Amino acid sequence: MSVSPDPFPASRAPLQLLLFVDHRSSSWEQASLIQGRLQALKARYPFAFDIVDVAEQPYVAEHFRLIATPALVKVHPHPRQTLTGMDLAQQLDAWWERWQEAIHDSLDSPENNQPMDMMPTDGSPSSLATAAEVIRLSDEVFRLGREKAELRELLRFKDRAIEIVAHDLRNPLAAASMAIETLEASYRPNTIQAAQMTDSLRERLLMQARSQIRAIDRLIANLLEVSQGEGQEADIQPQSVDLKALCHAVIDTFSSRISLKHQTLETDIPQDLPVVYADPDRIRQVISNLLDNAVKYTPDGGTIHVAALHRTTQNVQVSICDSGPGIPDSQRSSIFKERFRLQRDQRSEGYGIGLAACQRAIRAHYGQIWVDERPGGGSCFHFTLPVYQKLGYKPSAL
């Protein structure tokens, strides 16, 4: 919608105006008033006038750095001027004579005494489509550049992850293989291994093999989780889950590691803990990751505490606490980010995806996960899960 009196097309008019409006009826009322005033003035002075709907051409509004509509912008002659408010027709009347004087002064000036078709047209109505396209393409180039940088970082991370996985898998694979080979040899008749193998030793070897295989499974599960991308939600298959039994099952898998470090494990898991609505495999992964960190960071002879409580009628809270070095206050909000690692861990094994995987899994259950300081030193990780209820229960976002 435009008014452009002859004989001056938009690109040659000495006065060029743009009116920016939005979807509100008041904006279009202002547009009608401005058009009415300009129709009355067009016989006296040549000008070009366009109406820009910011919803249809947001890049043009961004180009002129507008913060409110309706807005009337004088784009030529320079300097550019913007009028805003609900009294634009009155402001137009007040500025009209001064704009005409500025045009005459500009045309009379030797420095600006140039043919009309050579007048600056930056931002003129005739170039709106070009300006909008240039801004859109600039924004697209910026977005693509950012995505390129993110992809490069992801590729570097995956290269590093492959190196770490190859290293991390080697130890549990070797331990599990050794335990299985020893067990295999014990069943061969007339061998030293068979003669020396006791039921107690056989049970310890089986436990060692199971523990190492579960460590491998956790590593693979975390890698599969992070491969989905940071913005993807975890895919879960919720059902009724006996959280008490699940906690004890996971704890049992860590018993040999805890014994080797002479750590003390304290549990507070009530017998009447309610059934939760969750994906058992995902929650097993979460508890395993948190307990693995607790064992890793708790020094030899330290204490680990695992607790669960019925916090509300709708939620159960699980807490896993260690007596390790703790996490600085300034970094507690960052430890759940993909590939984030504390400064103290930069030279140690790991690649910073375990806690991110935990957060993604808990959020998929409409739960919360956080960390705070343990009294006396160390860290406490907490997460919540919805209580299972019959009759088509669906948890609500917290």
Side-chain angles (χ1 to χ4, degrees):
M1 183 184 303
S2 65
V3 178
S4 186
D6 292 331
F8 295 97
S11 62
R12 301 181 61 205
L15 177 63
Q16 299 169 13
L17 304 172
L18 293 178
L19 178 63
F20 289 85
V21 296
D22 54 30
H23 65 279
R24 296 175 299 170
S25 59
S26 58
S27 286
W28 289 102
E29 290 174 2
Q30 286 287 319
S32 297
L33 287 174
I34 294 295
Q35 278 189 296
R37 296 296 177 90
L38 291 175
Q39 287 288 350
L41 294 169
K42 70 178 182 179
R44 298 169 54 192
Y45 299 104
F47 63 88
F49 172 68
D50 257 17
I51 296 178
V52 180
D53 188 336
V54 296
E56 296 179 359
Q57 294 180 294
Y59 291 101
V60 181
E62 180 181 346
H63 175 68
F64 286 99
R65 295 181 175 84
L66 297 182
I67 60 175
T69 55
L72 182 65
V73 180
K74 176 178 71 71
V75 295
H76 184 73
H78 293 287
R80 183 182 299 165
Q81 184 177 354
T82 302
L83 307 179
T84 60
M86 301 308 295
D87 60 342
L88 289 180
Q90 291 83 351
Q91 293 186 58
L92 175 62
D93 287 340
W95 281 97
W96 186 258
E97 294 298 333
R98 277 180 276 184
W99 286 349
Q100 299 308 316
E101 292 175 3
I103 291 171
H104 289 306
D105 293 342
S106 176
L107 293 176
D108 293 340
S109 172
E111 296 178 359
N112 296 311
N113 189 12
Q114 53 185 327
M116 188 65 69
D117 58 358
M118 296 297 292
M119 294 289 288
T121 58
D122 176 41
S124 67
S126 63
S127 63
L128 283 179
T130 301
E133 184 65 12
V134 168
I135 298 170
R136 186 190 67 79
L137 290 175
S138 298
D139 187 67
E140 185 71 9
V141 168
F142 175 78
R143 184 186 65 80
L144 291 174
R146 184 172 57 187
E147 288 184 357
K148 179 181 179 181
E150 291 174 352
L151 286 173
R152 282 182 172 176
E153 177 62 26
L154 181 60
L155 288 174
R156 283 195 294 268
F157 163 71
K158 287 187 175 181
D159 289 341
R160 173 61 178 154
I162 290 173
E163 295 175 4
I164 296 173
V165 168
H167 181 275
D168 286 359
L169 283 177
R170 186 178 295 113
N171 290 336
L173 278 173
S177 178
M178 185 179 298
I180 293 172
E181 289 175 0
T182 304
L183 285 170
E184 183 182 22
S186 71
Y187 286 98
R188 298 170 186 164
N190 303 322
T191 63
I192 297 177
Q193 289 88 345
Q196 295 179 342
M197 184 65 63
T198 64
D199 290 341
S200 176
L201 178 58
R202 185 178 289 108
E203 179 62 28
R204 286 200 302 271
L205 288 171
L206 284 171
M207 183 179 297
Q208 172 72 3
R210 285 196 298 266
S211 175
Q212 297 302 325
I213 290 172
R214 289 191 178 101
I216 295 171
D217 182 67
R218 280 197 309 276
L219 178 61
I220 295 173
N222 286 342
L223 285 173
L224 291 175
E225 184 73 30
V226 78
S227 68
Q228 296 179 8
E230 190 170 355
Q232 297 294 323
E233 292 185 359
D235 182 25
I236 64 171
Q237 302 295 326
Q239 57 187 275
S240 62
V241 176
D242 184 347
L243 184 59
K244 173 177 62 66
L246 181 60
C247 286
H248 284 298
V250 175
I251 290 172
D252 287 343
T253 66
F254 284 86
S255 58
S256 59
R257 284 183 58 191
I258 292 173
S259 297
L260 287 173
K261 295 187 70 174
H262 305 289
Q263 295 167 338
T264 300
L265 177 65
E266 300 174 347
T267 61
D268 183 9
I269 306 174
Q271 292 294 325
D272 59 348
L273 193 68
V275 173
V276 296
Y277 186 68
D279 184 319
D281 293 332
R282 291 285 187 175
I283 301 309
R284 182 180 290 107
Q285 178 189 359
V286 170
I287 298 174
S288 296
N289 281 340
L290 296 180
L291 195 52
D292 179 69
N293 284 341
V295 175
K296 175 181 177 181
Y297 290 108
T298 296
D300 290 2
T303 302
I304 299 170
H305 186 77
V306 179
L309 59 91
H310 195 181
R311 195 176 73 168
T312 69
T313 57
Q314 294 185 341
N315 292 286
V316 169
Q317 176 178 313
V318 177
S319 301
I320 298 177
C321 304
D322 61 62
S323 54
I327 298 171
D329 293 345
S330 60
Q331 296 182 311
R332 288 178 188 168
S333 60
S334 301
I335 59 174
F336 294 102
K337 295 180 180 178
E338 299 280 7
R339 304 188 293 277
F340 177 85
R341 304 194 70 202
L342 295 173
Q343 187 66 33
R344 68 178 185 225
D345 298 332
Q346 294 298 321
R347 296 185 179 180
S348 63
E349 298 177 2
Y351 39 88
I353 62 175
L355 291 178
C358 291
Q359 183 183 65
R360 186 178 299 172
I362 295 302
R363 284 182 172 177
H365 288 80
Y366 298 95
Q368 295 177 316
I369 184 169
W370 70 99
V371 61
D372 55 32
E373 185 178 1
R374 182 183 186 183
S379 302
C380 278
F381 285 84
H382 314 275
F383 66 87
T384 61
L385 292 172
V387 173
Y388 178 79
Q389 299 179 17
K390 296 181 179 180
L391 302 177
Y393 171 74
K394 178 178 176 60
S396 58
L398 297 177

